[in-house]
Amino acid sequence: MAGQLSAFGYSLSDNPQEADLWLINTCTVKSPSQSAMDTLIAKCKIAKKPLVVAGCVPQGSRDLKELEGISIVGVQQIDRVVEVVEETLKGHEVRLLNRKTLPVLDLPKVRRNKFVEILPINVGCLGACTYCKTKHARGHLGSYTIDSLVGRVKSVIADGVKEIWLSSEDTGAYGRDIGVNLPILLNAIVSELPPDASTMLRIGMTNPPFMLEHLKEIAEVLCHPCVYSFLHVPVQSGSDAVLSAMNREYTESEFRTVVDTLIELVPGMQIATDIICGFPGETNEDFAQTVSLIKKYKFPQVHISQFYPRPGTPAARMKKVPSAVVKKRSRELTSVFEAFTPYNGMEGRIERIWITEVAADGIHLVGHTKGYVQVLVVAPESMLGVSAIVKITSVGRWSVFGEVMETINHKNHKSVSRKDTGEDKFSPCSNACESYECTREPEPCACCGPESCVGQTPLEESAASRNSMFPEDLNSRYLIGWLLRKRKNHANKRVEGEIASGSKRKQEWTQGSIGEWSVVDKALLGGMLASFFAIMALLILLGIRSMRSN
């Protein structure tokens, strides 16, 4: 919506009081998000600003008292947002909620992060969860065609996007309404990603039922070097009785099958999940089963929510668990989860990361490993959108800290198909060194061994060679040799400085060839040689004079 309005000539304002119109985009998943909408609407009325409300709340609850007299636009009418804004500024109330064909994927867009493309692959879902209000707004499953999605992928890669996030109410259900499935789509998209892994794919949230049919195919895609080994699979409860009341259409055992299979088949697999505490009818035993499930897998990410009854849903009519009990269970599960140490053992490890944003502290940049572990590095903002090799220096509860060792220069952005590259393309340790340049000479890349990159040496050996450049005992070395070593050391420090500043220019320093020395090196050597010969000549003259005087 922001992209369309900007393309039409409107400017986005950071100051609500200076704006000519407010546009509120809403979510209906939980009660607090709708309450936030109510608060904003009240503030807008006080400020006497024209207002448009968009998103799932008006689409699913068009008769809300809070929306009376306000222009609204539904989830499948966002391509008409300019029209709604224009009419609202004229003083008219506009309501566009009728469903139609899916909005096209190439609408103008203003990305919150220019390196990340959020790509919807479908709207709606095939489920009927008893607590879900989103189904009322989003409706039944509607999938975009593979050709349209692949076309969008090609376009955003050309725009310089470095991460593509596939979004959906249920990624696993993709294509069932148009005769295809998720593995077919993923293979089509992966075949268009740059082979140097300069652009990564993140697969969106998927519920267990539709994953069970394609586990091995999905695992194969998750092993691909251009796909994050990460998946968000909500379980909601560890109790079959609660899952049945939720109408989730799977059992706790089937969820375990999904998790166990992915962990077994995908190296470094990371799985996030969701839990709803205090669903109507949840007993102490049901909750204990949920806690046991979370303890078993020690998921690195668990989104814990208290149950919120949403108007118009079957769960809203069920007998509620006392709110004090719900809060107690939520606190207990949160304590269990926060006691996990999922990243212990990563310290000292060498990892490739993809850097896409500035951390909230304004000091660190945020990157992610192949397993989508968040890595914080101190580096200039010029490294945003860059892939790098880092050494993990310390680990925290929610992320790890790293030191940049190399930045990766992507030389070949030509897309290749899976058929062209063969099965090697789907190996998590493919020969990625053939498609990037290392900006630091001696150290190997993390995705392959030291043998795979020409001219590189193991870390221990390279550290020893760098240490040998420093003078251990100046009195035991010739002056010329020490000066040359100092100059050589200065050159290496300059390379490290350029790595820290995000420079992608390859530096090569050859020890044995004078022809590759810089002008300063040659001038220094020439000056020393000239001084040497002048002193020798002076000594010879003094010797001759001494002989004559004798």
Side-chain angles (χ1 to χ4, degrees):
M1 290 187 288
Q4 293 173 77
L5 290 165
S6 296
F8 197 76
Y10 288 97
S11 59
L12 305 179
S13 173
D14 294 327
N15 188 339
Q17 301 305 318
E18 294 180 356
D20 296 313
L21 176 140
W22 289 16
L23 191 157
I24 304 173
N25 198 22
T26 62
C27 173
T28 191
V29 172
K30 301 178 184 178
S31 298
S33 58
Q34 184 167 329
S35 299
M37 178 202 75
D38 297 342
T39 301
L40 287 171
I41 289 175
K43 288 182 178 180
C44 187
K45 289 180 177 178
I46 293 173
K48 297 181 179 180
K49 298 287 185 179
L51 174 64
V52 175
V53 177
C56 288
V57 172
Q59 185 72 66
S61 306
R62 64 184 69 189
D63 296 325
L64 282 175
K65 181 180 178 181
E66 290 80 4
L67 296 176
E68 291 179 1
I70 294 173
S71 292
I72 57 178
V73 56
V75 295
Q76 293 186 21
Q77 300 278 0
I78 61 171
D79 52 351
R80 297 181 65 184
V81 67
V82 173
E83 178 184 345
V84 176
V85 167
E86 290 275 291
E87 292 300 315
T88 303
L89 286 171
K90 294 175 184 176
H92 302 151
E93 177 186 338
V94 182
R95 296 199 155 211
L96 292 180
L97 294 171
N98 292 334
R99 304 186 190 282
K100 59 181 188 65
T101 57
L102 297 174
V104 295
L105 290 171
D106 59 353
L107 291 171
K109 179 179 287 189
V110 175
R111 297 187 182 94
R112 292 188 177 184
N113 184 331
K114 69 178 183 178
F115 298 111
V116 176
E117 167 73 7
I118 301 175
L119 179 61
I121 63 173
N122 57 268
V123 298
C125 70
L126 294 176
C129 299
T130 55
Y131 57 84
C132 183
K133 183 74 172 177
T134 306
K135 178 81 173 188
H136 294 192
R138 296 283 178 173
H140 201 62
L141 181 68
S143 302
Y144 285 96
T145 66
I146 289 179
D147 287 345
S148 64
L149 291 166
V150 169
R152 182 64 180 171
V153 166
K154 291 179 179 178
S155 174
V156 301
I157 290 174
D159 288 343
V161 161
K162 300 303 179 184
E163 287 188 4
I164 299 172
W165 298 357
L166 302 185
S167 72
S168 167
E169 279 79 57
D170 185 359
T171 302
Y174 170 80
R176 289 174 174 264
D177 56 322
I178 58 174
V180 293
N181 58 42
L182 182 61
I184 295 174
L185 171 67
L186 294 178
N187 285 319
I189 290 177
V190 164
S191 69
E192 299 298 335
L193 299 177
D196 58 2
S198 55
T199 300
M200 295 293 287
L201 180 71
R202 194 184 83 175
I203 302 174
M205 186 272 288
T206 180
N207 288 312
F210 301 118
M211 280 288 291
L212 288 166
E213 300 177 29
H214 307 293
L215 272 177
K216 290 187 178 180
E217 295 96 324
I218 299 298
E220 183 180 12
V221 174
L222 289 167
C223 285
H224 189 280
C226 299
V227 181
Y228 285 119
S229 305
F230 168 84
L231 204 58
H232 178 195
V233 188
V235 63
Q236 305 301 5
S237 175
S239 163
D240 285 344
V242 174
L243 291 174
S244 178
M246 292 178 171
N247 196 30
R248 288 290 289 172
E249 300 180 344
Y250 58 86
T251 64
E252 183 258 7
S253 175
E254 289 172 330
F255 172 78
R256 287 177 184 253
T257 297
V258 171
V259 175
D260 292 341
T261 303
L262 293 178
I263 291 175
E264 177 187 356
L265 297 180
V266 184
M269 184 69 196
Q270 298 280 312
I271 295 176
T273 195
D274 298 351
I275 295 292
I276 296 176
C277 291
F279 188 82
E282 182 185 65
T283 65
N284 288 333
E285 182 181 352
D286 294 328
F287 178 68
Q289 291 172 358
T290 297
V291 173
S292 176
L293 179 69
I294 299 303
K295 284 183 175 179
K296 171 180 173 59
Y297 290 103
K298 294 182 170 59
F299 298 104
Q301 298 179 39
V302 180
H303 309 126
I304 301 169
S305 298
Q306 299 175 28
F307 171 73
Y308 292 100
R310 302 298 291 127
T313 63
R317 300 188 296 270
M318 298 178 183
K319 185 177 180 180
K320 298 179 181 60
V321 175
S323 57
V325 175
V326 176
K327 292 178 181 178
K328 179 177 179 295
R329 290 174 181 172
S330 176
R331 288 194 295 267
E332 180 182 339
L333 186 60
T334 299
S335 296
V336 169
F337 164 62
E338 290 183 348
F340 298 158
T341 53
Y343 307 129
N344 277 7
M346 286 191 67
E347 187 170 348
R349 191 182 299 176
I350 306 300
E351 295 277 355
R352 180 177 179 179
I353 66 170
W354 290 262
I355 302 171
T356 56
E357 61 182 315
V358 179
D361 63 7
I363 300 172
H364 294 86
L365 299 186
V366 179
H368 291 92
T369 67
K370 175 73 163 61
Y372 213 68
V373 176
Q374 181 174 272
V375 181
L376 303 178
V377 296
V378 176
E381 291 190 18
S382 59
M383 286 192 67
L384 288 171
V386 169
S387 181
I389 304 299
V390 301
K391 182 177 182 179
I392 306 303
T393 55
S394 62
V395 301
R397 172 59 186 86
W398 311 109
S399 57
V400 302
F401 294 85
E403 177 185 354
V404 175
M405 301 173 66
E406 303 171 5
T407 55
I408 296 174
N409 290 343
H410 303 288
K411 296 191 295 185
N412 180 13
H413 291 271
K414 179 182 177 183
S415 299
V416 296
S417 67
R418 179 181 176 186
K419 183 170 70 174
D420 291 337
T421 56
E423 291 304 314
D424 287 344
K425 187 179 178 190
F426 284 80
S427 166
C429 198
S430 66
N431 194 9
C433 286
E434 293 180 358
S435 55
Y436 66 74
E437 295 177 352
C438 298
T439 60
R440 184 169 176 175
E441 181 185 31
E443 295 166 353
C445 55
C447 55
C448 43
E451 301 83 11
S452 300
C453 285
V454 177
Q456 295 186 341
T457 55
L459 290 175
E460 294 81 8
E461 181 182 339
S462 66
S465 66
R466 284 196 301 274
N467 290 338
S468 69
M469 296 175 187
F470 290 91
E472 298 171 359
D473 184 355
L474 300 184
N475 294 326
S476 67
R477 299 184 183 273
Y478 293 109
L479 177 63
I480 294 177
W482 179 77
L483 285 172
L484 291 179
R485 277 191 296 275
K486 288 291 288 184
R487 177 64 188 161
K488 173 72 174 176
N489 182 44
H490 173 71
N492 277 272
K493 286 184 178 179
R494 192 172 74 192
V495 175
E496 293 176 358
E498 291 182 357
I499 292 171
S501 67
S503 170
K504 296 183 180 180
R505 185 163 50 91
K506 186 175 182 181
Q507 303 287 341
E508 293 181 350
W509 304 89
T510 305
Q511 293 184 6
S513 174
I514 295 178
E516 293 183 16
W517 288 0
S518 69
V519 173
V520 176
D521 291 323
K522 295 176 181 178
L524 182 62
L525 178 60
M528 289 187 292
L529 290 175
S531 300
F532 174 79
F533 287 124
I535 292 171
M536 291 298 296
L538 180 61
L539 291 175
I540 292 172
L541 289 174
L542 290 174
I544 293 173
R545 290 179 180 177
S546 176
M547 290 174 62
R548 287 178 177 176
S549 62
N550 289 334

